[in-house]
Every structure is written in structure tokens, then in C-alpha cells.
């Protein structure tokens, strides 16, 4: 149950609120005396480390046949917590469009609900190729927004488009395979 991939996903779960804290509690006594730029660097570093655990937990789980039911639950939850922490923190810092974040989070919640429904029917809706691309682009966009690099806004809206399209793919596949509507 607690194999290396699950431990890496759990670490990602723990790092997400730490990154969020650094982004939204800049006036905290705990962070007093630390310049905002350094808080951005620390949040970006935590985000990169957490994002790397996403790659490695999946790679290790597949390569060494360590895929578990816990991992199938923990990995997407950790991904959602990390992106939620990043996007909400950036929105609160006014570095990300509230509309972009609303569209991304709405899709994520809807697809999570769809996956629960699929599981209740015995269907396995695994992450699609587009879903993986969407996650990578979201993570790159968060990194660019954290560092306030040029092109960050374009990456964010590219992530929105990929997020909505991959959501369409999940919905399409669900209805093609669902017993609810046959």
C-alpha cells in the first residue's frame, strides 16, 4: 500500500498547502522579513519538486508494476491539490485571470464527478494522452506565472483550451461506454 509511488503522491499532497501558504500569507509573522521575490522563488521551487514527484510516481508505478488502488485515488487528488494551490494562489496575487481559473477548476470538478460515476458503473476512465498534455501545460503555466516570465498569460489560456478539450474527451468517452444511457 505505501510503496514509493504512493509516498511520492503523498509528499505532493503535503507540498501543495505549503506552496499555497507562501503565496497567500505573505504578511504572516512566520514570513516577516522575507522579501516577496524570495517567497515566489520558494513557492516555485516547491512547485517544481512537487511536479517532479508527479512524473516519477507514475513512471515508477508503471515500470515496476506498483499501480495500486490507493495510488489511483491519491495521484489525481495530489495533482488537483497542487494545481488548485498554484492557480488559486496566483489568482489571489492577481497574476492569473479569474475566468481562466474558474474554467479550469470547473472542468476539474466536473470530470472528478464523472470519474466517480464511472467507477460506480465499473468503468475505468484512465487519464488520456490529452489529459496528460493538459496537466503538463497547466504545470508549465503555473511555473511561468509564479516567476512572472513572459508568455505566462498565453500559456495559461493554452492550458484553459487544453483543459476544456480534454474534458470534452472524457465526457465523450464516458457516454460511449456508460450503461446509464444505453
Amino acid at each position: 500500500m505505501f510503496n514509493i509511488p504512493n509516498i511520492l503522491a503523498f509528499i505532493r499532497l503535503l507540498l501543495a498547502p505549503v506552496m499555497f501558504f507562501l503565496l497567500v500569507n505573505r504578511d504572516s509573522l512566520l514570513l516577516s522579513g522575507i522579501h516577496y521575490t524570495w517567497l515566489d522563488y520558494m513557492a516555485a521551487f516547491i512547485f517544481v519538486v512537487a511536479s517532479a514527484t508527479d512524473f516519477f510516481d507514475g513512471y515508477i508505478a508503471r515500470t515496476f508494476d506498483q499501480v495500486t488502488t490507493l495510488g489511483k485515488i491519491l495521484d489525481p487528488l495530489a495533482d488537483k491539490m497542487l494545481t488548485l494551490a498554484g492557480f488559486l494562489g496566483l489568482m489571489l496575487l492577481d497574476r492569473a485571470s479569474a475566468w481562466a481559473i474558474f474554467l479550469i477548476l470547473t472542468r476539474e470538478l466536473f470530470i472528478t464527478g464523472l470519474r466517480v460515476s464511472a467507477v460506480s458503473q465499473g468503468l475505468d476512465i484512465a487519464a488520456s494522452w490529452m489529459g496528460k498534455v493538459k496537466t503538463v501545460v497547466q504545470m508549465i503555466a503555473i511555473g511561468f506565472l509564479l516567476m512572472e516570465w513572459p508568455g505566462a498569460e498565453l500559456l495559461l489560456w493554452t492550458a484553459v483550451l487544453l483543459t476544456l478539450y480534454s474534458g470534452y474527451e472524457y465526457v465523450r468517452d464516458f457516454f460511449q461506454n456508460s450503461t446509464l444511457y444505453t
Side-chain angles (χ1 to χ4, degrees), residues 7 21 29 37 44 54 63 66 71 80 96 98 102 104 112 124 132 138 143 147 153 160-161 182:
I7 291 168
F21 179 83
L29 229 47
T37 305
D54 184 34
T63 303
Q66 294 185 2
K80 302 298 180 264
F102 172 77
I104 288 171
T112 299
D124 181 22
K132 292 177 188 218
Q138 283 181 357
M147 298 307 296
E153 186 79 10
V160 169
L161 292 174
T182 57

Side-chain angles (χ1 to χ4, degrees), residues 30-51:
L30 189 63
L31 301 175
S32 66
I34 302 174
H35 193 271
Y36 292 157
T37 305
W38 283 104
L39 295 174
D40 288 344
Y41 292 155
M42 286 187 274
F45 177 76
I46 288 169
F47 183 74
V48 167
V49 169
S51 296

